[in-house]
Amino acid sequence: MDLLIIETCDVMTSLKKKYQNSLSLVPTKWTNYEVCTAYLKSIEKNYDYFNKHTNKIFKIDTSNIKVIEASILITNEILKII
């Protein structure tokens, strides 16, 4: 793989974004605090594995940036490879 993009966000911001962008009012099995926390821990735990199987990893924390800003940063990383 040429590029692996990992987009992360702190758990509370992630849950807030999720509920602002949907009609869902109740947590699902995939969107609750415990699952989101475990997901972030698994990314950190498996980072070395990902690094062995890709030429470049671009990890971006979207906790404090807008969606359009994240899109621009990701696009710039893709263009660097092209």
Side-chain angles (χ1 to χ4, degrees):
M1 187 180 323
D2 290 330
L3 174 65
L4 172 63
I5 297 170
I6 301 174
E7 218 175 309
T8 63
C9 185
D10 72 82
V11 175
M12 292 310 292
T13 302
S14 178
L15 292 174
K16 180 180 173 185
K17 287 179 182 180
K18 191 262 187 215
Y19 292 115
Q20 287 177 340
N21 293 318
S22 74
L23 298 175
S24 176
L25 298 176
V26 242
T28 64
K29 72 177 187 175
W30 298 110
T31 53
N32 63 53
Y33 190 87
E34 293 79 19
V35 170
C36 290
T37 301
Y39 173 75
L40 289 176
K41 287 180 183 176
S42 71
I43 288 174
E44 293 304 319
K45 179 181 172 188
N46 291 298
Y47 195 83
D48 287 337
Y49 175 81
F50 298 147
N51 202 27
K52 291 178 186 174
H53 292 86
T54 186
N55 292 331
K56 180 167 175 47
I57 295 176
F58 180 60
K59 185 176 173 194
I60 181 171
D61 184 344
T62 62
S63 300
N64 298 311
I65 62 174
K66 296 177 184 175
V67 173
I68 190 67
E69 293 170 307
S71 298
I72 292 168
L73 291 170
I74 291 168
T75 301
N76 283 335
E77 290 300 315
I78 292 170
L79 289 174
K80 288 178 189 175
I81 291 175
I82 296 174

